[in-house]
Amino acid sequence: MYEYGVDFDAVTAIDMHAHIEIDCHGHQAYDDELVAATTAYFKMDAGPPADVDAVADYYRRANIAAVVFTIDAQSGMGHPPNSIEDLVAGAARNNDVLIPFGSVDPWQGRHAVRRVREQVRDHGVKGFKFHPSFQAFEPNDRVFYPIYEAIAEAGVPALFHTGQTGLGSGLPGGHGIKLRYSDPMLLDDVAADFPELTIVMAHPAVPWVDAQIAVAAHKANVYVDLSGWSPKYFPPQLVRAIGRQLRTKVLFGTDFPYIKLDRWRRDFDTLDIDPAVLPLVYKENALRVLGIGSGA
């Protein structure tokens, strides 16, 4: 059972977006073809994926806390997920730096709702991760609303991938992954219908960045994490919004292991951002999303 052990006053930042891609049994989150294509897309060095303990050591050395998760996309992709229970147990071993989010296969209906409640009650997850394109679902379809109701009842946030994805990029048919499911306007419906649910739109949502900014500015319960892109490639309208209408709505995130901490922070430092906004981006907005302390 996970319980917070992070000293939120001491850590310098909270990375809201880090993947755990392998469990203690050696099972990977993605099939081999997808792993190879994603590695090539992000120009990563090929090598074994980091397990939860190695990821914890990486963040501990940086004095940064990290939200960690995997994605249950068995129905959408036909590949069983790496163990969520193993991920949470690993986060519990390393609760000084790691914060586990759960995941459910949205196509599993009532079983998915039970899994939400089980992962919160029995394992202590602090939020849930969805990837509509990878999981092959339209998030505003009301068939999935009972899942959001259970998450809202638990009082934890839901983080949704938005925009294009490196998963499947360059493969024939994109490995069957459809980008339209990750249009942030679909989440505008969810945010309106569940005002009590905190929603995080993950990544600059290219090619729908203007829509993403509009939704986050309009809906008090919607935030944006800045992961998955080097900040030097952020669209200019997003850079402006970080310092203006979204200053209390944007969250530091890397998309580890695809974007590393040093690269993200180095490139973010080159942006024309008001220094007063930096504590909000790096930690204070995340504390509010997670319902912790003075940030809540």
Side-chain angles (χ1 to χ4, degrees):
M1 177 75 172
Y2 178 88
E3 294 182 358
Y4 280 123
V6 180
D7 184 343
F8 289 106
D9 291 327
V11 295
T12 60
I14 300 171
D15 185 341
M16 285 294 296
H17 202 110
H19 295 261
I20 302 295
E21 298 187 318
I22 193 168
D23 60 27
C24 64
H25 307 291
H27 187 80
Q28 293 191 137
Y30 317 128
D31 63 62
D32 290 341
E33 184 179 30
L34 204 56
V35 169
T38 305
T39 299
Y41 176 84
F42 284 100
K43 298 181 174 62
M44 298 167 60
D45 295 330
D51 63 20
V52 66
D53 293 307
V55 172
D57 288 342
Y58 174 79
Y59 281 95
R60 190 175 290 117
R61 289 194 299 271
N63 193 31
I64 290 175
V67 169
V68 292
F69 47 73
T70 186
I71 306 164
D72 187 342
Q74 185 156 358
S75 294
M77 299 305 297
H79 184 79
N82 51 321
S83 171
I84 293 162
E85 288 77 11
D86 179 67
L87 185 155
V88 178
R93 288 194 303 273
N94 297 282
N95 71 344
D96 59 314
V97 288
L98 299 186
I99 302 166
F101 273 24
S103 180
V104 297
D105 182 343
W107 288 106
Q108 292 184 345
R110 285 180 289 182
H111 178 67
V113 174
R114 289 194 297 271
R115 285 282 288 161
V116 165
R117 292 175 176 147
E118 173 189 290
Q119 289 179 38
V120 173
R121 181 189 65 238
D122 299 339
H123 301 288
V125 302
K126 301 305 180 183
F128 285 86
K129 167 63 189 283
F130 296 94
H131 194 310
S133 292
F134 195 51
Q135 294 173 308
F137 79 107
E138 291 180 326
N140 65 341
D141 189 325
R142 288 181 175 270
V143 72
F144 306 115
Y145 274 27
I147 298 172
Y148 309 146
E149 289 171 1
I151 296 172
E153 288 171 4
V156 298
L159 188 154
F160 291 82
H161 173 96
T162 58
Q164 69 183 73
T165 179
L167 292 174
S169 183
L171 293 177
H175 208 63
I177 296 169
K178 297 177 180 178
L179 300 182
R180 68 180 178 87
Y181 292 137
S182 292
D183 184 338
M185 287 307 298
L186 301 179
L187 294 174
D188 186 64
D189 292 350
V190 180
D193 293 339
F194 292 91
E196 72 280 20
L197 176 63
T198 297
I199 294 171
V200 179
M201 296 187 291
H203 318 308
V206 175
W208 302 292
V209 173
D210 290 328
Q212 179 182 45
I213 292 169
V215 173
H218 188 256
K219 301 294 190 293
N221 53 321
V222 176
Y223 295 76
V224 176
D225 92 35
L226 299 172
S227 68
W229 291 70
S230 163
K232 68 181 179 181
Y233 298 122
F234 285 179
Q237 67 269 43
L238 178 60
V239 176
R240 289 193 298 271
I242 291 169
R244 298 178 184 176
Q245 69 267 42
L246 296 188
R247 61 192 292 132
T248 63
K249 308 296 288 293
V250 288
L251 312 165
F252 165 53
T254 59
D255 209 16
F256 179 89
Y258 310 117
I259 304 288
K260 300 294 179 61
L261 286 169
D262 288 346
R263 178 188 180 192
W264 196 99
R265 290 188 291 181
R266 181 182 66 245
D267 291 348
F268 191 70
D269 285 344
T270 68
L271 302 182
D272 183 17
I273 302 289
D274 180 355
V277 176
L278 300 183
L280 301 174
V281 173
Y282 275 111
K283 187 164 63 172
E284 292 176 23
N285 294 340
L287 292 174
R288 189 179 313 110
V289 166
L290 295 169
I292 295 167
S294 59

